[in-house]
Amino acid sequence: MLVLLLLSSMNMGEGGISDIETLRDSCMTAYSLVWASQYANLFLINTGYVILGGQALKAFYVLFRDDHQMKLPHFIAVAGLACVLFAIAIPHLSALRIWLGFSTFFSLVYICIVIALSLKDGLEAPPRDYSIPGTKNSKTWATIGAAANLVFAYNTGMLPEIQATVKEPVVNNMIKALNFQFTLGVIPMHAVTYIGYWAYGSSASSYLLNNVSGPIWLKGMANIAAFLQAIIALHIFASPTYEFLDTKYGVTGSALACKNLAFRIIVRGGYIAITAFLSALLPFLGDFMNLAGAISTFPLTFILPNHMYIVAKRKKLSFLKKSWHWLNIIFFSCIAVAAFVAALRFITVDSKTYHVFADL
């Protein structure tokens, strides 16, 4: 795609071989940057989903047995095992099919229950504290980290894009799906965020079910829905890595063939094992979202497209337009660096506070 973009836009009338060599070098550099950023983003997303699955399982367990015998790392390990089994059972992305419908159902179950119980608690609760705790310096770092967190959270158009490829015309359907995702699709996300903060103030947990009160069976249903949704969502975002490894090592033929089954068990199981180990080692979900936003989402969303446009148009851009794109590149590069430092700071602080394999 990048090669076609550059070839179609670049003026090849002068320079000849020199232009071709420049084009090739630019394509290889862009390819390497995009490849590294995308797979780093996917890995950190997967880490976040394993942590989310572990948190949901722990919250479900605490509803019935709050004896502290099982810790968060244990639940993360169970969530990781469930993800491994699902990855083995679903050989490729197109095999998800009906699971995408289940994914939507589980999301709606969680959202509806959380909103209903938060509204109930908010109406019954005494006045809450809405102030942001911490010093001026810590608030500044928190704001920078929140910016990366928001960019990461809203960069979730993969599911509607996949569903839109079911029938022709694929591109138009994808555009319609993404327009829906970032208009009506963001309403539940805003609703959970604002209602949760209104109901619980600054004490609101990153996993809102830790705050809500209500019938045990209803909270248990929401926790199980969050756990199952985390498994399916992880597989969606891990599938590009799985497909890359399958292609690299020439995995073809029946998914049930012994060779292919063994490959999925070893390779996918190993990948998720590494992800689950890191998740249990540093189970700070918000910090990983900040880190993912800083090192991959900011560059892929704001920096690289502007640079690609400048390279593709080259001399066709006016000075004003070129300055505007370079301003975007410089500004968001600074934001990305600041967010990266903020994420590392949060991970370091939380690591000192909670130690490794913490039971959050």
Side-chain angles (χ1 to χ4, degrees):
M1 184 182 294
L2 177 61
V3 174
L4 292 175
L5 172 64
L6 293 175
L7 279 172
S8 63
S9 305
M10 194 175 194
N11 183 4
M12 299 296 290
E14 299 177 1
I17 300 299
S18 177
D19 281 346
I20 294 175
E21 291 177 350
T22 301
L23 174 63
R24 182 187 61 195
D25 293 342
S26 297
C27 287
M28 291 305 298
T29 301
Y31 175 82
S32 300
L33 288 173
V34 172
W35 190 94
S37 297
Q38 285 181 330
Y39 280 95
N41 192 34
L42 292 172
F43 179 78
L44 291 170
I45 289 173
N46 296 335
T47 301
Y49 275 120
V50 174
I51 295 174
L52 175 60
Q55 287 183 329
L57 270 186
K58 180 188 175 183
F60 179 80
Y61 176 84
V62 169
L63 288 175
F64 301 96
R65 289 190 60 183
D66 193 8
D67 54 9
H68 302 287
Q69 294 297 313
M70 294 281 288
K71 309 294 185 183
L72 180 60
H74 301 133
F75 293 106
I76 288 177
V78 174
L81 178 60
C83 291
V84 170
L85 295 176
F86 192 77
I88 295 170
I90 307 296
H92 42 77
L93 190 59
S94 60
L96 276 170
R97 295 179 181 175
I98 193 173
W99 291 104
L100 295 176
F102 280 116
S103 174
T104 303
F105 172 75
F106 293 141
S107 296
L108 290 175
V109 168
Y110 171 84
I111 289 170
C112 292
I113 292 176
V114 166
I115 288 177
L117 295 182
S118 297
L119 281 173
K120 179 185 71 68
D121 289 346
L123 293 172
E124 297 175 353
R128 277 79 71 191
D129 179 15
Y130 295 106
S131 63
I132 302 175
T135 63
K136 184 177 181 180
N137 183 50
S138 65
K139 291 179 182 178
T140 301
W141 285 113
T143 302
I144 295 172
N149 209 321
L150 285 172
V151 172
F152 174 85
Y154 279 98
N155 189 37
T156 55
M158 183 178 287
L159 185 59
E161 284 187 63
I162 294 170
Q163 293 172 322
T165 60
V166 173
K167 64 177 183 177
E168 299 287 348
V170 172
V171 174
N172 289 337
N173 290 336
M174 288 175 66
I175 292 174
K176 291 178 182 178
L178 289 174
N179 287 336
F180 175 82
Q181 169 74 3
F182 291 101
T183 53
L184 295 178
V186 301
I187 292 177
M189 186 181 298
H190 280 284
V192 170
T193 303
Y194 298 145
I195 293 174
Y197 187 68
W198 165 77
Y200 308 107
S202 57
S203 63
S205 171
S206 58
Y207 184 62
L208 201 57
L209 282 173
N210 289 334
N211 288 103
V212 302
S213 59
I216 291 180
W217 67 269
L218 197 59
K219 292 194 292 182
M221 183 185 299
N223 283 308
I224 291 300
F227 169 69
L228 296 174
Q229 164 62 2
I231 295 174
I232 300 172
L234 184 144
H235 188 80
I236 293 172
F237 287 97
S239 286
T241 303
Y242 299 157
E243 297 290 346
F244 167 75
L245 293 172
D246 290 348
T247 302
K248 181 178 177 62
Y249 292 102
V251 177
T252 57
S254 173
L256 297 178
C258 292
K259 178 183 176 182
N260 295 342
L261 188 59
F263 181 86
R264 291 203 303 276
I265 293 173
I266 295 171
V267 175
R268 298 186 182 188
Y271 174 79
I272 296 178
I274 294 172
T275 306
F277 175 78
L278 181 59
S279 302
L281 184 71
L282 299 170
F284 315 124
L285 179 59
D287 298 347
F288 277 104
M289 291 175 66
N290 295 341
L291 189 62
I295 70 175
S296 58
T297 312
F298 266 121
L300 289 173
T301 306
F302 299 108
I303 300 172
L304 188 61
N306 280 284
H307 187 267
M308 288 173 62
Y309 190 78
I310 291 173
V311 172
K313 294 297 184 179
R314 299 180 74 84
K315 297 180 181 180
K316 296 180 181 180
L317 290 176
S318 66
F319 175 77
L320 184 60
K321 289 183 178 179
K322 188 177 291 186
S323 299
W324 167 251
H325 288 290
W326 274 113
L327 178 63
N328 279 312
I329 292 171
I330 294 170
F331 174 75
F332 286 109
S333 295
C334 293
I335 295 295
V337 171
F340 177 72
V341 175
L344 292 182
R345 180 180 181 273
F346 289 136
I347 291 175
T348 301
V349 171
D350 286 341
S351 297
K352 290 179 179 178
T353 305
Y354 296 109
H355 67 76
V356 295
F357 298 107
D359 183 31
L360 301 183

